Amino acid sequence: MRQKFIENGYEIVEFEEKADIYIINTCTVTNMSDRKSRQIIRRVKDINKSAILAVTGCYAQVAKDELDKIEDIDVVIGNIEKKDVVKTVENFIKTNKKENIVSDIMKEKYVVEFEVAAYTEKTRAVVKVQDGCDRFCSYCIIPYARGRVRSRSVQEIINEITEISKQGIKEVVITGIHIASYGKDFKEDIGLIDLLKEINKIEGIKRIRLGSIEPTLIDEKFIKELVKLEKICDHFHLSLQSGCDETLKRMNRRYTTKEFENCTNLIKNNYPNVALTTDIIVGFPGETKKEFLETYQYLDKIDFYKMHIFKYSPRKGTKAALMENQIDGNTKELRSNKLLELSNKKEIEHNKKYIEKVVSVLLEEREGEFIKGHTTNYINVYVKTDKKGIENEIVDVKIKDTYKDGLTGEIESM
């Protein structure tokens, strides 16, 4: 959306600066995110009472009637209608008539595209290959906000990444709401591995990084094909949510801890330096001390590099919000802190293994006297150098020590 406005001659300013138009792209994954979205909406008019305020994103999608009642909002725009955000805002400028443009996303059959180049950072491009989710986990509102699974065509994605490679970008991140479901909606027998094989052929792209993937995607057939693709990064974010089978059942996660462990073993056996990361929800309704302990011990055994810990937050409109035995805030806080301690311990242990080893680093941005980059398995590496213009270079770095949230070392070769 930002790029779309720039292309139409608008100047982008920081949020706290006075602007004529504010676009609030909301999240609705928890009740807390709804509340934060409303807080930001209220702040806009404090900055500029006469500003035009458009609200879009997932909260707008699922709560259009609620937002319509907020006097300060001029335009409510659904996720499908985002692509026309500039036109919609300009129409409001002409008519001064409040609009609520949110269609039924559950009926949408195609990924809605912006007619702009992919959003890119300086050294990495984020490429969305699908939208929507059909899993309906008991705690999650996302299927209602993003609709059913819709996949972009292989050719469309290849064309986009080919253009990205021409910009000199060396790394692409393959993302979506549920990328394990890529191709599920096609008549042809095409899945994520088929797409990755085609991306791997694109000249100029050196690294292919996968976004969050469902563990059920990883089986022997998939990993056998994946390991042949030399550009795939050895970092996998597998969304676990709980290390207890009973909790997983209540979450409607559709796999067991044994199946998840088999998946991680498959990956470790084929990628010796792999970094596995995950998401965990603590304090899910009905989570007993025993269930939490099972989760803790399981996470310790799987040996993740990092764990993103979330305290369960009831989301109106989901089954979990209506479940009995909701966990109190203090218990969630204690359990969250315990898992964060474990995550930090694991991260330090993993990082120490690289001291005196040589790793390949994509240099990305300067931070004071350092230039920061990432290894293929997504470990932060800080290199002290005064060399200019080496951002976006892939270099060999000899690791000397742990540093901040990663490692520090010296460039061996470029």
Side-chain angles (χ1 to χ4, degrees):
M1 288 188 284
R2 185 177 186 273
Q3 283 174 268
K4 195 86 171 170
F5 274 98
I6 291 169
E7 287 182 7
N8 282 273
Y10 290 81
E11 180 189 349
I12 307 297
V13 297
E14 292 299 316
F15 185 84
E16 298 299 341
E17 291 182 51
K18 192 172 181 179
D20 302 302
I21 301 165
Y22 289 84
I23 312 295
I24 310 296
N25 191 27
T26 59
C27 174
T28 194
V29 72
T30 64
N31 287 339
M32 175 66 78
S33 54
D34 287 357
R35 189 156 67 246
K36 286 182 177 178
S37 295
R38 289 192 296 270
Q39 286 169 353
I40 291 171
I41 287 164
R42 285 195 294 271
R43 277 172 59 198
V44 165
K45 293 296 178 172
D46 291 337
I47 300 167
N48 182 4
K49 282 184 177 149
S50 61
I52 294 164
L53 173 56
V55 178
T56 186
C58 292
Y59 183 37
Q61 184 66 44
V62 300
K64 61 177 184 176
D65 295 336
E66 183 184 329
L67 292 177
D68 207 32
K69 293 171 187 171
I70 299 176
E71 195 177 321
D72 288 341
I73 298 174
D74 298 305
V75 186
V76 181
I77 305 170
N79 277 328
I80 296 168
E81 292 76 21
K82 269 184 186 178
K83 69 184 191 323
D84 299 318
V85 61
V86 177
K87 193 196 302 181
T88 303
V89 168
E90 289 180 342
N91 187 56
F92 175 81
I93 293 169
K94 287 177 194 169
T95 64
N96 200 34
K97 185 181 174 185
K98 187 165 182 168
E99 287 195 87
N100 190 321
I101 312 166
V102 182
S103 55
D104 185 353
I105 203 161
M106 299 305 278
K107 294 179 181 176
E108 189 62 27
K109 294 181 180 176
Y110 305 100
V111 177
V112 177
E113 290 301 314
F114 281 90
E115 292 174 1
V116 294
Y119 172 72
T120 59
E121 301 169 17
K122 288 180 184 175
T123 59
R124 181 182 294 116
V126 179
V127 179
K128 181 177 174 181
V129 300
Q130 66 81 230
D131 206 344
C133 181
D134 294 343
R135 307 302 281 179
F136 293 94
C137 298
S138 64
Y139 53 82
C140 188
I141 198 72
I142 295 304
Y144 305 99
R146 304 306 289 244
R148 298 282 188 173
V149 168
R150 287 109 59 213
S151 308
R152 294 174 63 196
S153 74
V154 172
Q155 194 55 56
E156 195 176 70
I157 295 164
I158 295 307
N159 291 345
E160 181 179 334
I161 297 177
T162 301
E163 288 304 310
I164 286 166
S165 71
K166 289 176 184 175
Q167 297 174 37
I169 303 278
K170 293 184 172 72
E171 181 176 309
V172 289
V173 185
I174 306 306
T175 67
I177 297 300
H178 193 262
I179 61 172
S181 294
Y182 178 81
K184 178 184 171 184
D185 51 322
F186 292 153
K187 289 177 183 173
E188 309 93 329
D189 184 18
I190 295 172
L192 183 63
I193 193 66
D194 304 294
L195 173 64
L196 296 174
K197 285 177 183 177
E198 294 305 311
I199 298 171
N200 197 68
K201 296 174 188 173
I202 298 174
E203 202 173 322
I205 297 299
K206 304 295 184 188
R207 293 180 174 185
I208 303 166
R209 196 174 294 284
L210 296 177
S212 179
I213 53 176
E214 185 87 2
T216 52
L217 174 72
I218 309 290
D219 58 19
E220 288 192 21
K221 182 183 175 187
F222 181 88
I223 211 81
K224 186 179 175 184
E225 295 301 312
L226 192 71
V227 80
K228 294 176 188 173
L229 309 180
E230 73 284 357
K231 296 178 183 179
I232 295 291
C233 289
D234 47 355
H235 164 234
F236 295 88
H237 186 84
L238 302 169
S239 189
L240 172 59
Q241 307 303 359
S242 175
C244 167
D245 285 328
E246 286 305 310
T247 311
L248 288 173
K249 274 185 204 170
R250 294 197 301 278
M251 289 178 167
N252 193 32
R253 287 299 287 173
R254 307 189 199 192
Y255 52 80
T256 65
T257 52
K258 183 61 182 170
E259 288 166 340
F260 187 95
E261 187 177 358
N262 290 342
C263 157
T264 63
N265 288 337
L266 267 175
I267 295 171
K268 288 174 184 176
N269 290 340
N270 286 276
Y271 292 93
N273 296 314
V274 71
L276 295 175
T277 55
T278 195
D279 300 316
I280 299 294
I281 296 173
V282 294
F284 190 75
E287 184 185 66
T288 62
K289 284 182 184 177
K290 180 174 175 290
E291 288 182 350
F292 174 71
L293 185 60
E294 276 183 45
T295 290
Y296 185 93
Q297 290 170 341
Y298 183 79
L299 297 175
D300 194 19
K301 179 172 71 167
I302 296 296
D303 199 29
F304 290 102
Y305 171 57
K306 278 185 187 178
M307 295 176 277
H308 303 287
I309 312 301
F310 301 91
K311 288 171 279 194
Y312 171 73
S313 171
R315 184 62 185 84
K316 187 181 173 184
T318 63
K319 288 183 178 179
L322 302 173
M323 288 179 179
E324 295 179 354
N325 300 317
Q326 298 284 331
I327 309 299
D328 68 88
N330 287 340
T331 302
K332 288 181 197 174
E333 187 73 24
L334 289 169
R335 291 177 184 178
S336 172
N337 290 340
K338 196 163 183 183
L339 292 188
L340 285 169
E341 283 174 16
L342 179 63
S343 180
N344 291 336
K345 175 173 163 268
K346 292 291 183 185
E347 185 179 349
I348 292 165
E349 285 173 0
H350 275 270
N351 286 345
K352 282 181 176 176
K353 293 175 187 175
Y354 289 92
I355 295 172
E356 295 304 317
K357 290 186 179 177
V358 176
V359 296
S360 175
V361 178
L362 173 60
L363 301 175
E364 295 168 38
E365 59 183 346
R366 291 209 169 265
E367 284 194 11
E369 58 186 340
F370 292 94
I371 187 164
K372 177 185 170 184
H374 282 94
T375 60
T376 54
N377 53 3
Y378 213 54
I379 299 173
N380 290 321
V381 175
Y382 297 83
V383 179
K384 197 178 282 190
T385 178
D386 54 5
K387 286 184 182 176
K388 305 293 182 189
I390 57 173
E391 288 88 348
N392 203 33
E393 293 293 330
I394 295 177
V395 301
D396 287 336
V397 175
K398 186 163 187 180
I399 300 303
K400 295 298 181 183
D401 205 349
T402 57
Y403 177 74
K404 289 171 69 172
D405 56 349
L407 301 162
T408 185
E410 296 172 356
I411 296 174
E412 288 253 308
S413 63
M414 294 183 69

